[in-house]
Amino acid sequence: MKSLDEWVDRLHLPTLTVTAVAVVAWSLLSWRYGAYVLPSPRAVVGGLADILRTGEVWTHTGASLSRILIGFGGAVGLALLMGLASFLSRRARAVVHDVLAVLNSTSVFVWIVLSIIWFGLSRWAPIFTTLMITLPVVASNIVEGVENVDRRLLEMGDVYRLGGREKFRAIVVPSTLPYLVAGMKVGFGLALKVSVVAEIFGVTSGIGYIMNYSREILATQMVFAWALVMVLVMMVTDKLVFDSISRRLSRWR
Amino acid sequence: MKPRLKLRVSGIGKDFLIPVIETVSFGVEAGEFVCLLGPNGCGKTTLLRIIGGIEPATRGAVLLDGQPVVAGDAHSRKVGVVFQEDRLLPWMTLEQNVALVLKPLGLGAEERHALARRHLVLAGLAGFEHYYPGRVSGGMRQRAAIARALAIEPDVLLMDEPFGALDAQNRRIMQNEVRRIWKETGRTILFVTHSIEEAVAIGTTLVMLSARPSHIRELIRNDGRVERGRLIDDLNTMIMEEVERQQGGAA
């Protein structure tokens, strides 16, 4: 009986049951309110199949992902510099703290509007927005990691006269890496969500653009289909990229 | 002529808002095994940290082979420290941990790892060189910390209650191991402990500190001239007197 229980959990059967109930409810609601407000599950699956067949799915997902990689990559780079600065100097750490507090409290919309003013209706608008929104998330994690480096290990390094570079390489980097990966995981999820919003304005490709376009041509089933694509992209990168990095990092545990 | 002292502690004192160490002076000859004893809070660990150049003293000086040891200042002598916790880097194997502290000595990678392996074997860790600290027992981690301290061939080896976290059985085993390693290497050792039995079992010289603000209450050569049981009883009596004095002073 234990193995049966095990299988129930492994196949996520409880989740599947809830999903099945939700799909039934969804169908009923769709039938009641009509396809514009709530397209039927069949229409959504059909739409998804269409964009997979025509290859449209790759065009827009690729456009979104390339912008995310540039914006998010820039954010990770800046965050690493901030982490390094806050390791090297107590003053720099205080400045980084304050800057991050301000950035953390700034709305996505501020960056969207500003980036349209500064970069016009170009691909740099969503890239810049993504950078500014993910920077505080990744940087806060790195700085927290730098602050949580075990003082007792650094003291051990001093006793054995390790140089600054050696202490950084052998003690600070390994103890900060898990924080960096955790920050990147959260940051990437945020990047995907934010860049799609920024794509509503000014660009003619990307998941955000195509979702808004589908709404304008009253193809609500395509809005749902693209939403599903987003969810899938998120889950796949989480499992394939970040989980495997985390596993590699913690092999000594 | 008297042999030149390996380590001289002269007039060391330390204040943390209140005076903790009043004044402590003693000399250590090369190859001695000195145990520092005293009631809790009398500044044993602080004294060891001052001698190791980890913490500055408020007064006095420490001379190692005639060279002053000042916290934060470089000197050419080598000090190995075994802390209360192992302080191994958990993401490095035992061998990598030991090899790491050999880097500042300017040795090549191959030589460092060969030295690391030799000292791990000396500490009874043959076969565990490539284990991560998290995969071995607390006793073995503390052995690796001792191997690390010995690998730099220290002029003086400082040990701060290194077996405090171990159970009674492992403690006994490790005491014998340290005694054996001391005999094999002839290192000069300063060992802080709160256990009188431990000090009498392994030390050649016992330094008993008084209650805070501390000075040396008694310096005893543990050369077997006094019978062990009696020595332990005497030291216990002294410690109880000091504890009472501390409590009386606080009241």
Side-chain angles (χ1 to χ4, degrees):
Chain A
M1 285 319 275
K2 188 171 172 279
S3 70
L4 182 66
D5 265 5
E6 220 169 79
W7 277 107
V8 163
D9 284 340
R10 195 173 293 177
L11 294 172
H12 293 264
L13 279 185
T15 312
L16 288 178
T17 313
V18 172
T19 311
V21 172
V23 168
V24 170
W26 175 5
S27 306
L28 290 173
L29 287 169
S30 160
W31 176 70
R32 167 76 178 73
Y33 291 103
Y36 172 66
V37 176
L38 195 63
S40 69
R42 256 183 67 187
V44 171
V45 172
L48 196 59
D50 275 350
I51 52 174
L52 277 170
R53 202 181 52 239
T54 59
E56 212 185 336
V57 67
W58 306 118
T59 321
H60 291 292
T61 307
S64 287
L65 281 179
S66 72
R67 289 176 199 135
I68 289 169
L69 285 182
I70 298 171
F72 179 60
V76 171
L78 283 175
L80 285 173
L81 289 179
M82 287 174 153
L84 185 62
S86 59
F87 168 67
L88 292 176
S89 134
R90 194 179 284 259
R91 283 243 166 83
R93 184 182 299 179
V95 173
V96 166
H97 251 288
D98 295 341
V99 169
L100 290 180
V102 172
L103 287 182
N104 255 323
S105 328
T106 310
S107 156
V108 183
F109 198 66
V110 172
W111 298 119
I112 291 179
V113 172
L114 281 180
S115 61
I116 290 172
I117 295 171
W118 291 342
F119 302 103
L121 301 176
S122 78
R123 63 200 288 260
W124 291 104
I127 288 174
F128 179 73
T129 306
T130 307
L131 190 152
M132 293 313 289
I133 287 297
T134 54
L135 176 62
V137 175
V138 182
S140 304
N141 266 278
I142 295 179
V143 171
E144 196 192 332
V146 169
E147 280 170 4
N148 278 328
V149 173
D150 192 340
R151 304 269 135 221
R152 294 172 306 172
L153 293 182
L154 290 174
E155 190 182 271
M156 181 279 294
D158 287 333
V159 163
Y160 289 104
R161 296 180 193 165
L162 301 182
R165 186 184 291 190
E166 200 59 53
K167 274 193 288 184
F168 186 71
R169 190 193 66 81
I171 301 173
V172 178
V173 170
S175 46
T176 311
L177 269 180
Y179 290 87
L180 171 65
V181 174
M184 282 177 71
K185 190 176 153 129
V186 177
F188 186 83
L190 197 60
L192 191 62
K193 290 169 197 163
V194 165
S195 71
V196 166
V197 176
E199 279 170 351
I200 292 179
F201 310 96
V203 289
T204 52
S205 64
I207 297 179
Y209 158 77
I210 195 71
M211 277 176 88
N212 195 40
Y213 174 77
S214 305
R215 180 190 60 81
E216 280 169 3
I217 62 167
L218 310 183
T220 311
Q221 78 280 9
M222 296 316 293
V223 174
F224 277 74
W226 284 106
L228 277 178
V229 171
M230 257 182 80
V231 170
L232 287 175
V233 169
M234 188 87 102
M235 288 171 78
V236 167
T237 46
D238 237 30
K239 279 266 172 277
L240 290 189
V241 182
F242 292 108
D243 283 4
S244 64
I245 293 178
S246 303
R247 252 199 313 280
R248 265 191 74 89
L249 281 182
S250 59
R251 74 198 134 94
W252 48 266
R253 270 181 222 280
Chain B
M1 205 181 105
K2 267 186 77 175
R4 194 163 155 229
L5 286 176
K6 187 76 186 166
L7 176 74
R8 174 175 283 290
V9 176
S10 54
I12 282 292
K14 177 83 179 181
D15 303 342
F16 289 110
L17 300 175
I18 54 158
V20 175
I21 302 171
E22 190 179 55
T23 176
V24 169
S25 303
F26 62 94
V28 180
E29 282 165 27
E32 259 190 288
F33 194 138
V34 179
C35 284
L36 286 170
L37 279 162
N40 288 339
C42 74
K44 301 185 292 278
T45 293
T46 306
L47 182 58
L48 200 75
R49 289 168 64 86
I50 290 170
I51 294 170
I54 304 169
E55 219 173 279
T58 311
R59 306 173 277 284
V62 174
L63 294 176
L64 181 53
D65 282 327
Q67 285 192 37
V69 176
V70 181
D73 285 7
H75 58 88
S76 65
R77 303 286 89 193
K78 289 181 287 187
V79 180
V81 181
V82 180
F83 299 91
Q84 287 175 19
E85 326 83 26
D86 57 76
R87 300 205 193 183
L88 298 169
L89 303 180
W91 42 82
M92 286 189 181
T93 63
L94 300 184
E95 182 177 320
Q96 288 168 334
N97 262 288
V98 179
L100 175 72
V101 304
L102 297 172
K103 265 194 183 168
L105 304 183
L107 307 171
E110 217 159 288
E111 205 177 341
R112 283 191 288 117
H113 282 268
L115 263 173
R117 280 194 295 276
R118 194 188 318 152
H119 282 94
L120 285 168
V121 171
L122 176 73
L125 287 169
F128 292 96
E129 292 89 344
H130 301 298
Y131 278 62
Y132 287 100
R135 300 278 163 84
V136 300
S137 70
M140 290 164 86
R141 281 199 290 275
Q142 211 48 289
R143 279 169 196 262
I146 293 171
R148 176 174 65 187
L150 287 169
I152 63 166
E153 310 210 315
D155 292 291
V156 63
L157 175 59
L158 307 179
M159 305 179 90
D160 183 10
E161 294 197 33
F163 313 138
L166 302 184
D167 59 69
Q169 190 190 334
N170 266 310
R171 215 185 155 106
R172 185 64 51 82
I173 293 170
M174 291 302 293
Q175 285 166 6
N176 289 334
E177 285 286 285
V178 165
R179 182 87 186 178
R180 173 183 67 78
I181 290 170
W182 171 69
K183 278 185 176 151
E184 280 177 27
T185 60
R187 297 273 161 222
T188 309
I189 300 182
L190 238 74
F191 188 106
V192 164
T193 177
H194 63 257
S195 158
I196 287 166
E197 287 76 11
E198 184 166 85
V200 170
I202 60 179
T204 57
T205 306
L206 312 178
V207 176
M208 168 69 85
L209 296 179
S210 71
R212 191 174 58 228
S214 54
H215 53 267
I216 293 182
R217 153 112 195 213
E218 200 88 50
L219 198 146
I220 301 160
R221 303 270 160 217
N222 184 21
D223 47 15
R225 255 182 284 182
V226 183
E227 189 248 329
R228 270 196 184 175
R230 235 194 83 203
L231 188 54
I232 290 174
D233 286 347
D234 288 353
L235 287 165
N236 268 317
T237 314
M238 277 184 227
I239 271 216
M240 281 325 292
E241 281 171 17
E242 291 302 329
V243 169
E244 267 164 36
R245 175 140 35 140
Q246 198 156 320
Q247 282 165 344

